Amino acid sequence: MSRWLRSAAITKFALPGLAVAAALALPVLSSPVHAAGKTITAVMHSDLRVLDPGITTGYIVRDHGYMVYDTLLGMNSKYEIKPQMADWKVSDDKLVYTFTLRDGLLWHDGKPVTAEDCVASLQRWGRNDGMGQKLMDFTKSIEAPDAKTIVLTLKEPYGLVLDSIAKPSSLVPFMMPKRLAETPAGKAISEQIGSGPFKFVQSEFQPGVKAVYEKFKEYKPRSEPTDWQAGGKVVKVDRVEWITMPDAQTAVNALQSGDIDFMENGPYDLLPVLSKDPELQIEVLNPLGFQTFGRMNFLNPPFDNPKIRRAAFLAMSQKPVLDALVGDPQYYKVCGAVFGCDTPNATDVGSETLVKGNGVEEAKKLLAEAGYDGTPVVIMAPTDVTTLKAQPIVAAQLLRNAGFKVEVQATDWQTVLSRRPSQKPVKEGGWNMFFSNWVGADILNPISNVATSGRGKSNGGWFGWSEDAELEVLRDKYARATTPEEQKKLAAEVQKEIYDKVIYIPLGEYKVPSIWRKSLTGVTKGAAIPMFWNIDKKED
């Protein structure tokens, strides 16, 4: 019997009613001795099912992307843009950006990385990502004059070119072979072939059970030290296995017994006990934290009515959500800033009811004025991700308090990811509202924050498909702004428009500590992701 199974058996008798069902439902993990070389076993924040990091903003898919794919540029801990796959130079008139691929880059199938591959990858990313879409609005052409050179020519100067290509979180401009990047819009790529530090082991992929990555032996890391998503991605182990364990208590037991090495999201209620275990390290790896939020569907009743959207906004309150989600105030912050607390673009414009929770009576009044007819608000509620369980339940009650009829549909997170692209009516599989979380790196400005888009359903808008021409005008002004003062002023105007039209609803910020066994060394902080390069493991 493996140590993990012994742990599960002990839990079964020590904690009746808590872990029995979870233990029976979980996969039997193979002992690490069966795998060649060093293997890191990790429990991530979610199960991996969707594999194309270019078609969803789901963070587990982004994390998978960083394992398999690489990027032209990277951002370090000082928010500086650094070379990753390519160096660059900029013309004096700021209209031409020339990127030169570094030597030795290979795809996992052994073929060389070419500039044509990267051009196609940038174009695909530019169709799907909000920041990429804005960059493409300013772009005249992207060309590959030779195998190592990428030339991006602008219509007019645009200050966020490098920031866009180096963005550290979803949707990340990952590079992939041209034949995959040219996959038709809306269709997932058919293979996982990147040039990143790990290769995806398709033959061992079991959705709901595990995902496996092997060291890409031909990968040539940069010589600079690892620093967030910049620097050398030096792989020091042979394999990384992501193991699905939906039950946090069972995952903790496996961590303590040594059957897993790393747990991305530590459960808040168990941290006081786990902090006393001399074999474990507990630390926040993402210093920027997360913003949790709610997103409505503008296409389906009742939220196709702006007054009813506004009533729902007034009903919301951050503190009850954060108390249920986190509990411990040292890990959360009530904050009405759309672009993050304590950031250059932080402002409290329009956020009073969210922060103070004093909008319910006004919500009731506005709901009556709007003629709300009792159409149910269907909320998708994932039950398998610790950081997404509380929001739908608390929000549902806040909406009911204001007079809404609410239907909470329990599901898993991967089903939410698969369902939220649907623009169908609710009766045909559509939806009214979902909740998720952004890492701080995703929300720093009106261009990187995907949910601030007002492009609508016909012009590449994000799930929910908010359409707001004035918002797009403001975002364009921000994109052209050249000073921090001008950017801050425009960010406040954007925030006011977001709250007035209820483009989305920020529900506060929080940080999640990760936990790992001290047999792992070299675990480093990143702007958004848990990084499995640079980590070594001492064998028992």
Side-chain angles (χ1 to χ4, degrees), residues 321-335:
V321 173
L322 293 170
D323 282 338
L325 173 64
V326 180
D328 188 342
Q330 72 171 312
Y331 287 112
Y332 78 68
K333 187 171 185 177
V334 172
C335 169

Side-chain angles (χ1 to χ4, degrees), residues 16-154:
L18 176 63
V20 177
L24 291 175
L26 288 168
V28 176
L29 304 184
S30 60
S31 173
V33 299
H34 294 154
K38 296 180 182 179
T39 299
I40 295 175
T41 51
V43 172
M44 303 296 283
H45 70 275
S46 171
D47 175 32
L48 176 68
R49 293 180 185 270
V50 178
L51 296 178
D52 187 345
I55 63 172
T56 177
T57 53
Y59 284 153
I60 191 64
V61 189
R62 173 208 62 193
D63 296 347
H64 161 78
Y66 269 109
M67 297 291 280
V68 175
Y69 304 94
D70 212 343
T71 57
L72 293 177
L73 310 176
M75 186 178 76
N76 69 14
S77 56
K78 297 179 181 179
Y79 305 98
E80 298 169 333
I81 309 305
K82 295 293 182 180
Q84 188 48 255
M85 294 173 69
D87 292 287
W88 74 90
K89 62 181 181 179
V90 185
S91 64
D92 293 339
D93 61 6
K94 310 298 183 186
L95 291 177
V96 181
Y97 288 71
T98 303
F99 302 89
T100 304
L101 295 174
R102 60 187 174 94
D103 294 332
L105 297 177
L106 294 175
W107 299 117
H108 294 161
D109 59 8
K111 297 178 181 178
V113 175
T114 70
E116 282 192 351
D117 295 318
C118 298
V119 167
S121 298
L122 288 172
Q123 290 171 335
R124 183 178 198 250
W125 163 75
R127 288 192 297 269
N128 297 330
D129 176 62
M131 201 166 187
Q133 290 167 346
K134 188 60 65 177
L135 173 60
M136 294 304 153
D137 289 344
F138 284 82
T139 296
K140 180 179 179 181
S141 64
I142 312 178
E143 299 173 316
D146 59 53
K148 292 188 62 177
T149 307
I150 304 150
V151 179
L152 187 152
T153 304
L154 298 173

Side-chain angles (χ1 to χ4, degrees), residues 264-503:
E264 183 183 2
N265 288 352
Y268 294 106
D269 57 336
L270 297 178
L271 292 179
V273 174
L274 294 174
S275 65
K276 298 177 182 179
D277 190 325
E279 300 299 320
L280 300 180
Q281 179 73 30
I282 302 174
E283 190 174 344
V284 173
L285 294 178
N286 174 12
L288 295 177
F290 292 80
Q291 178 192 86
T292 190
F293 67 91
R295 175 73 165 185
M296 300 176 185
N297 190 332
F298 279 50
L299 305 183
N300 289 330
F303 292 144
D304 58 342
N305 184 323
K307 283 190 175 182
I308 293 178
R309 288 199 306 273
R310 182 67 185 169
F313 173 86
L314 292 167
M316 292 293 112
S317 177
Q318 289 188 353
K319 191 173 188 304
V321 173
L322 293 170
D323 282 338
L325 173 64
V326 180
D328 188 342
Q330 72 171 312
Y331 287 112
Y332 78 68
K333 187 171 185 177
V334 172
C335 169
V338 167
F339 304 113
C341 313
D342 305 316
T343 68
N345 286 329
T347 175
D348 60 1
V349 170
S351 66
E352 179 182 338
T353 57
L354 284 179
V355 172
K356 296 183 179 180
N358 59 354
V360 65
E361 293 305 318
E362 189 177 351
K364 291 178 180 178
K365 179 181 178 181
L366 190 58
L367 200 61
E369 290 178 2
Y372 175 61
D373 61 2
T375 298
V377 173
V378 173
I379 298 177
M380 297 186 289
T383 60
D384 61 332
V385 178
T386 303
T387 56
L388 292 173
K389 289 182 178 181
Q391 298 92 316
I393 305 305
V394 176
Q397 188 56 52
L398 293 172
L399 290 172
R400 291 182 182 116
N401 292 347
F404 283 91
K405 182 177 180 180
V406 182
E407 180 182 339
V408 177
Q409 295 185 354
T411 181
D412 58 63
W413 177 237
Q414 294 303 315
T415 298
V416 175
L417 292 180
S418 299
R419 184 178 174 186
R420 68 181 181 178
S422 173
Q423 298 181 358
K424 294 181 179 179
V426 171
K427 291 182 179 180
E428 298 177 23
W431 53 275
N432 292 123
M433 196 170 191
F434 74 89
F435 295 83
S436 190
N437 310 305
W438 300 119
V439 292
D442 276 338
I443 63 168
L444 295 176
N445 63 65
I447 310 303
S448 65
N449 189 329
V450 175
T452 65
S453 167
R455 288 176 175 262
K457 70 175 184 177
S458 60
N459 198 25
W462 195 61
F463 311 116
W465 305 285
S466 53
E467 188 166 356
D468 188 325
E470 177 59 25
L471 183 56
E472 285 303 296
V473 169
L474 290 171
R475 293 176 73 232
D476 277 344
K477 288 181 179 179
Y478 184 93
R480 292 181 171 90
T482 57
T483 67
E485 294 76 17
E486 188 180 3
Q487 289 175 337
K488 186 174 180 64
K489 176 179 178 296
L490 286 165
E493 293 181 32
V494 171
Q495 176 164 312
K496 183 178 185 302
E497 182 72 7
I498 286 169
Y499 282 152
D500 285 349
K501 302 294 179 61
V502 196
I503 303 301

